[in-house]
Amino acid sequence: MPIRRLPNQLVNQIAAGEVVERPASVVKELIENSLDAGARRIEIEIEQGGTKLIKVRDDGVGISSQELVLALSRHATSKVNCFEDLESIKSMGFRGEALPSIGSVSRLRLVSQHQESEAAWEVLGDGEDNATEPKPAAHPQGTSIEVRDLFFNTPARRKFLRKEKTEFGHIQSLVQRLALVRFDVGFILTHNRKAVLSLPPCDSRSEREARIGELLGAAFLENAIYIEEQAAELTLGGWVAKPTFSRSQADMQYFYVNQRMVRDKLVTHAVRQAYQDVLYHGRHPAYLLFLSLDPRKVDVNVHPTKHEVRFRDSRSVHDFLFRGLHKVLAQTRPQAAVGEAEKSMKVAAFSQSAAAADQGVPQQQQSMNWRVSERPGSYQAGFRAQQPVSVPGLSDSESLSSDESQGMPPLGYAMAQLHGVYILAQNHSGLVLVDMHAAHERITYERFKQTYRQGGIIKQPLLVPVTVAVSGHEADLAESQTETLASIGIEISRMGRDSLAVRGIPALLQGADAEKLLRDLLADLAEHGESRRLDDEIDGVLATMACHGSIRANRKLTLDEMNALLREMERTERADQCNHGRPTWVQFSMNELDRFFLRGR
């Protein structure tokens, strides 16, 4: 077959295969054009999931009558004039393919009044490679584009569309994604003449959070931490959810680069690393984040849909994202706002649905090794006066008066221990339940990390070495990682082909099960491969050690030890969840407790 030039209509329809995947693709292109035109209000009208009608109306600068026909021509755009512009893309759209591609598979009507014109004009397209001459029309400043009968002239493609509800769901999700980054713009979405979204422009942070709450749910905001970080030419802002608000799927992850939503592997990896030791296994974080940087340092033209980007200095971007998120997640510790009823109930619900707490088995426990600066008398002083309460195992316990509770620490004061697993404490808001193993595990883990990074862990030689029978592969692995194990306080020697001797363990783990500790560490090493250094996974190893060094279930604590644990939680970063991402404590307000017993009804 000879080489020949393709007809323009066929070229447009081929391009439409890239640009117009489904009705939501049309909506995306049209809204992005409205945003580039400086619109402050965008109305989206949809009928039959977008197959019958897609209408987008804005109050932007508009298009002059001389440019209306040109707007429907391929590669005609006002957003790129030279190669330098292509290297520094600031607009949402820039290829000039959208309107002619859409027009080639639909019946299109374009009406616009330019801001410097006193009249509006319209042009029509019918799926062919031509458009009518502009004629006068009634329209305020801005532009309206109607797309009717999508894929009417390409029935094969129409067969691949899903049900009306599904196609509209894609459109609604798209509008929500754009509304979550363009707070300065109002969005109105209707489907089959029924209002779906009505979002006014947002100027203040409180207005933005109101929009976020409407689109992502109040629970996200109640569990989100606001972040603002800046380094060199990089700026990161937005909201990141606490680990206890994790999701079973990655369905609440919104990341924008220069106001363009992207799905980028580098970004995903940085976020996962930041959550690495606070997220429950198999769960996904939730976030709404905005990264801003020089447009010349990011390529947004590496994919037809512009969902992927390429950073010029990917390593610095990755490190910046990780450090910023890692720092903000370190703030998840008990604070004075523990009395927020709705938040505590969400955390409690997650605690029940997550895997059961690791209660371990009874074994010898090392001393908690805490200096309890607050003597018993100081705790008892807080439990004076209104009505005595009899709590088994706790002497001199009394409910707090309203006056005495004002200066109370966030987690309050311990009152009792429940089945050797939970600590019951009373604070200003009501009842606090603490999973003592999970809480102590986090505290021990953070201590290990701090000690390791400040110069190494102090090793405690064992009076009697512990011999451990292992496989030949495990023995080889341990021998190859002797220095790595020594750096975290584990001294071993090889006794034979399939035997190891543990001669020293971290001093903080005095009394721990040395054999089980070594086996768990070898399992971690085997998972990461014998040829890989453990540097990137050191936190995971320290987490395993912390688990062995933490209080086990059925361990009886004194009142002083319980209160010392509460105070350590308040001082420890990431204390709201254990190393596995489970909550360490929950709050029940007096209002919630009253509802349990139908008080006041």
Side-chain angles (χ1 to χ4, degrees), residues 101-114:
S101 297
I102 295 169
S104 69
V105 291
S106 68
R107 308 185 199 278
L108 186 144
R109 178 173 180 259
L110 170 59
V111 187
S112 186
Q113 178 180 334
H114 192 268

Side-chain angles (χ1 to χ4, degrees), residues 501-563:
V502 182
R503 301 185 179 278
I505 63 174
L508 288 174
L509 294 185
Q510 184 178 4
D513 187 336
E515 179 178 349
K516 190 173 188 304
L517 173 60
L518 177 61
R519 292 190 185 281
D520 286 348
L521 292 176
L522 289 178
D524 286 344
L525 287 167
E527 181 180 354
H528 302 305
E530 57 185 271
S531 63
R532 289 182 57 186
R533 297 292 295 175
L534 199 59
D535 293 347
D536 294 338
E537 305 295 336
I538 193 67
D539 284 352
V541 177
L542 294 178
T544 301
M545 295 170 57
C547 185
H548 285 270
S550 301
I551 310 168
R552 293 294 176 181
N554 302 316
R555 163 84 179 269
K556 294 294 184 182
L557 301 183
T558 66
L559 182 62
D560 281 351
E561 287 177 321
M562 292 185 225
N563 281 299

Side-chain angles (χ1 to χ4, degrees), residues 38-155:
R40 283 279 291 174
R41 175 186 172 92
I42 301 176
E43 301 176 20
I44 307 102
E45 182 181 344
I46 306 296
E47 291 185 14
Q48 296 181 11
T51 57
K52 181 180 180 181
L53 172 67
I54 297 172
K55 181 178 180 180
V56 176
R57 179 171 179 169
D58 67 58
D59 60 353
V61 298
I63 306 172
S64 67
S65 60
Q66 297 87 350
E67 296 176 339
L68 278 179
V69 175
L70 189 60
L72 297 180
S73 303
R74 295 197 71 219
H75 303 309
T77 179
S78 62
K79 303 165 188 178
V80 175
N81 294 316
C82 59
F83 180 76
E84 286 72 20
D85 292 340
L86 194 61
E87 286 190 314
S88 182
I89 298 295
K90 298 179 181 179
S91 56
M92 299 296 291
F94 50 86
R95 292 178 174 176
E97 291 180 341
L99 287 182
S101 297
I102 295 169
S104 69
V105 291
S106 68
R107 308 185 199 278
L108 186 144
R109 178 173 180 259
L110 170 59
V111 187
S112 186
Q113 178 180 334
H114 192 268
Q115 61 181 359
E116 297 179 355
S117 174
E118 297 182 355
W121 299 81
E122 77 169 13
V123 293
L124 303 175
D126 58 1
E128 299 296 332
D129 187 28
N130 54 63
T132 63
E133 289 297 319
K135 64 179 181 179
H139 194 280
Q141 178 185 318
T143 302
S144 289
I145 299 180
E146 295 180 8
V147 177
R148 296 184 180 274
D149 304 326
L150 187 62
F151 300 138
F152 79 97
N153 55 354
T154 53

Side-chain angles (χ1 to χ4, degrees), residues 589-601:
S589 70
M590 291 303 296
N591 288 337
E592 289 167 338
L593 295 174
D594 288 344
R595 286 199 297 270
F596 291 156
F597 296 98
L598 305 180
R599 291 175 60 88
R601 296 191 181 182

Side-chain angles (χ1 to χ4, degrees), residues 224-341:
I225 307 170
Y226 184 69
I227 178 174
E228 275 187 320
E229 293 291 328
Q230 186 169 4
E233 297 180 339
L234 299 172
T235 302
L236 179 67
W239 291 261
V240 56
K242 297 177 182 178
T244 45
F245 187 73
S246 62
R247 313 276 293 179
S248 61
Q249 299 179 2
D251 60 346
M252 199 173 283
Q253 298 181 351
Y254 300 89
F255 195 93
Y256 300 84
V257 176
N258 291 346
Q259 297 191 325
R260 185 189 305 278
M261 184 168 178
V262 300
R263 300 182 184 93
D264 188 85
K265 293 180 180 179
L266 179 142
V267 169
T268 302
H269 186 265
V271 174
R272 292 294 301 183
Q273 277 201 328
Y275 273 92
Q276 187 171 7
D277 62 359
V278 293
L279 197 64
Y280 194 80
H281 302 302
R283 306 287 293 183
H284 299 270
Y287 51 83
L288 172 61
L289 295 170
F290 313 103
L291 176 66
S292 299
L293 72 164
D294 188 336
R296 293 171 296 181
K297 296 188 176 182
V298 57
D299 185 0
V300 300
N301 198 27
V302 297
H303 192 273
T305 63
K306 299 187 282 289
H307 282 161
E308 298 176 10
V309 296
R310 182 182 295 118
F311 297 103
R312 179 170 297 177
D313 188 353
S314 58
R315 182 58 184 269
S316 65
V317 172
H318 182 282
D319 291 347
F320 171 70
L321 293 176
F322 170 76
R323 287 196 305 269
L325 294 173
H326 191 264
K327 183 173 75 172
V328 75
L329 289 173
Q331 301 171 9
T332 53
R333 66 180 85 181
Q335 299 296 333
V338 293
E340 297 178 12

